[in-house]
Amino acid sequence: MEYRKLGRSDLEVSAICMGCWALAGGTVWGDQDEQAAIGALRTAVDVGVNFFDTAEGYGAGASEAILGRAFKGMRDKAIIATKVSPNNMHPADLRAACERSLSYLQTDYIDVYYLHWPNWDIPFEETMGEMLKLKEEGKIRAVGCSNFGVKDLGAMLEISHVDVNQLAYNLLFRPIEYEIVPACLASDVSVATYSPMLHGILTGKFATLDDIPDERARTRHFSSARRPMTRHGGPGAEQETAQAMTRIREICDEAGLPMAQVSLAWLLRRPAVATVIAGARSPEQIKSNAAAAALELTDDMVTALNEATEPLRVAFGTNADMWDTGENCRIR
Ligand SMILES: NC(=O)c1ccc[n+]([C@@H]2O[C@H](COP(=O)([O-])OP(=O)(O)OC[C@H]3O[C@@H](n4cnc5c(N)ncnc54)[C@H](OP(=O)(O)O)[C@@H]3O)[C@@H](O)[C@H]2O)c1
């Protein structure tokens, strides 16, 4: 496993981070077997993954609680990132949320504490003031933001440095390349990429877009007229997505490599990306995902993947909100 420094912090995190949202089960993911979840977390450690991503919002603490149980007695093996939800960004709420997360995680420190989404109704100064107090008290080791575009990131950096910005990024969704990645590079802010397999779609497990269940067809790739769980209300980009998927499948087949690993390895070569947050629900999945860190893609393959996804890159433009558009866009 390769390890990379996170921002200006002293944390050396694995290039593959294990995403723990699905471990909470729920509407999007369906039932999750707890033993498989704990097995996946411990297998992750065995294969060199030291970075784990969760949030208070994932199953109202359920995902954090599974990490707490899995890492009891082996806390030093895990660098744990969790996130405070936007409705808890008033200083007193933030402190209470942090204490709750510590309790679910059965630990006395959080390695990386993220603001999950910006809350524009509460001045960043107030939220960050409390964050920095929590850091001084040793309850947090590093501060991160998530879903912060250039405007919000710029405003945040005037208050305090953040070591990492967590954003949606995958072969089928590349808006952060335009403005956000350059802004992160210019300020020593690492990028942690979420949904690197677009909720599992980039594993190749769905033969056509029609085979993707509605719970996983909520992003701007899908038309709101056909997909009831989308929120953008627009036409989607199904044609470009289907064409890109066909070509990605061909490229992976020609190379004899699994699409999931290729999707992760492609991200690991992109500028500013320190770690790729790959969701996994079983020991087999995390083993396969961790192996992507050692996969060398040829330059020709990377070029072919870039070309295959260029029409989608143009179609989505600079809006880095994978779900919403226009005045409802939550990333600015
Ligand atoms: N900051 C944010 O706003 C935000 C938003 C979304 C996600 N995240 C974070 O990012 C993480 C990853 O994102 P994501 O869960 O949306 O999507 P993802 O990593 O693109 O996809 C994960 C899903 O794909 C399937 N999968 C994983 N590895 C596989 C493999 N090797 N072979 C076959 N299938 C495999 C699993 O589901 P099945 O087995 O059920 O198919 C898994 O739950 C989350 O867990 C969370 O920590 C953050």
Side-chain angles (χ1 to χ4, degrees), residues 54-87:
T54 183
E56 63 166 339
Y58 298 161
S63 167
E64 291 178 328
I66 292 172
L67 266 82
R69 292 194 281 281
F71 292 135
K72 200 167 178 163
M74 47 189 284
R75 175 67 181 89
D76 60 322
K77 302 279 189 256
I79 297 176
I80 299 180
T82 191
K83 314 183 195 79
V84 55
S85 303
N87 58 325

Side-chain angles (χ1 to χ4, degrees), residues 17-23 28-32 52-55 58 63 83 114-117 145-147 166-168 170 192-206 216 218 260-261 264 276-282 284-289 322-323:
C17 169
M18 180 168 155
C20 300
W21 174 23
L23 301 188
V28 172
W29 296 105
D31 291 343
Q32 170 69 41
F52 298 85
D53 185 78
T54 183
Y58 298 161
S63 167
K83 314 183 195 79
Y114 285 103
L115 304 178
H116 203 150
W117 288 86
C145 55
S146 173
N147 299 304
Q166 183 176 139
L167 298 146
N170 58 59
T193 68
Y194 71 72
S195 302
M197 296 166 280
L198 190 60
H199 308 324
I201 293 168
L202 277 166
T203 63
K205 66 175 71 178
F206 305 108
R216 298 196 195 197
R218 296 178 300 121
Q261 288 184 1
L264 302 177
V276 170
I277 309 170
R281 317 182 65 177
S282 65
E284 295 69 35
Q285 286 183 353
I286 188 62
K287 262 191 224 162
S288 166
N289 296 346
M322 199 155 64
W323 295 273

Side-chain angles (χ1 to χ4, degrees), residues 127-166:
T127 310
M128 276 310 278
E130 195 64 19
M131 272 284 195
L132 296 177
K133 276 190 209 156
L134 291 166
K135 194 172 172 198
E136 270 168 33
E137 292 165 25
K139 291 177 193 274
I140 298 172
R141 289 176 73 192
V143 178
C145 55
S146 173
N147 299 304
F148 274 49
V150 279
K151 185 172 173 200
D152 286 339
L153 183 66
M156 180 58 84
L157 291 175
E158 288 195 4
I159 302 164
S160 165
H161 187 70
V162 288
D163 288 306
V164 53
N165 192 6
Q166 183 176 139

Side-chain angles (χ1 to χ4, degrees), residues 216-237:
R216 298 196 195 197
R218 296 178 300 121
T219 56
R220 285 162 53 211
H221 301 82
F222 302 94
S223 139
S224 284
R226 298 185 56 233
R227 294 295 194 161
M229 294 177 80
T230 51
R231 51 192 286 168
H232 58 79

